[in-house]
Amino acid sequence: MTVRKKQQTEQQAKRPLRADTERTVRTILEAAERVLATNPAATMEQFARAAGVARTTVHRRFATREALLDDLTGWAARQFAAAVDSARPDAAPPLVALYQVTANVLRVKTDWSFAMNRAAEDTHPEAARIHAEVRATCVDLFRRAQEAGVLRPDIELDWTRRVYYALIHEAAKEGAGGGDTDALATRVVDTLLRGAGTPAGLAGQTGI
């Protein structure tokens, strides 16, 4: 492919999709996510059947199965970033932002579980960049939460943030089974801020 032809192809790829085309693409991606969540080896024909479109329509939008998976991964990563941004993590009160980020992220992780797990492998450049940006946002949110007194001043923030990620991961698995994401978000934040022990239990451990 010549440089000029490559540039033309890249320009075409960057052009906004028509509204009807965008709806078709989203329908296919949503169907693919549903199918892949239960059968990671699913075929393009199965995606088409789940989306209610002809197989030729799927192939017209996505040249190969790998191209569809890449688009699905990028789409989910963008939904992830939008979910975090919509919680206003840099402007809302830290506790409010922490809860809203948690609830929003759980919805994305539940709705796009296959694609989100694929994005976590860091093999998709756009998804890896987006996830790095979200991690930076989370670092800032946890710093604000500590400064506001939501988190203890002596807590190690990096450790706390990684524990938070682990809690979200477990809650997302429960959400995929039909759990209420708002209730799960409350459980995650409550567990993070209160822990599982009691003051009396901790006081009883004289060696601590």
Side-chain angles (χ1 to χ4, degrees):
M1 180 182 293
T2 66
V3 173
R4 180 179 179 81
K5 182 65 175 177
K6 182 178 180 181
Q7 289 173 340
Q8 289 175 342
T9 302
E10 290 175 348
Q11 289 171 354
Q12 290 171 353
K14 293 176 182 177
R15 289 175 185 168
L17 297 175
R18 284 171 37 185
D20 57 340
T21 301
E22 185 173 357
R23 283 193 297 272
T24 300
V25 168
R26 182 179 178 107
T27 296
I28 294 170
L29 292 178
E30 288 176 339
E33 168 62 40
R34 291 195 304 273
V35 174
L36 289 163
T38 57
N39 178 17
T43 64
M44 296 281 269
E45 185 173 1
Q46 289 173 297
F47 301 154
R49 189 161 54 246
V53 300
R55 187 173 60 178
T56 53
T57 300
V58 176
H59 281 287
R60 188 162 59 247
R61 304 303 175 202
F62 307 99
T64 64
R65 184 179 185 277
E66 190 61 31
L68 187 151
L69 292 180
D70 280 345
D71 269 29
L72 178 61
T73 303
W75 182 283
R78 292 190 292 275
Q79 304 308 304
F80 177 51
V84 173
D85 288 345
S86 67
R88 301 173 57 242
D90 59 341
L95 183 56
V96 173
L98 182 62
Y99 169 79
Q100 198 59 59
V101 164
T102 304
N104 292 358
V105 166
L106 281 174
R107 291 188 186 97
V108 174
K109 281 184 167 288
T110 299
D111 293 343
W112 301 90
S113 59
F114 174 86
M116 287 294 290
N117 287 333
R118 192 169 187 265
E121 297 171 0
D122 286 340
T123 57
H124 188 288
E126 181 191 13
R129 174 183 58 77
I130 290 172
H131 279 252
E133 291 172 354
V134 169
R135 280 193 294 272
T137 298
C138 191
V139 168
D140 288 342
L141 175 56
F142 271 61
R143 177 184 51 76
R144 289 181 60 226
Q146 189 174 53
E147 291 172 352
V150 174
L151 297 174
R152 296 204 319 261
D154 62 330
I155 203 75
E156 208 282 304
L157 286 182
D158 184 61
W159 166 257
T160 305
R161 182 171 51 83
R162 286 186 282 129
V163 168
Y164 171 68
Y165 292 163
L167 290 171
I168 285 185
H169 178 72
E170 291 303 317
K173 289 196 294 186
E174 188 166 336
D180 183 296
T181 52
D182 287 325
L184 288 169
T186 299
R187 188 184 304 173
V188 167
V189 174
D190 186 68
T191 302
L192 179 72
L193 298 184
R194 299 176 187 272
T198 66
L202 184 62
Q205 301 298 314
T206 56
I208 296 179

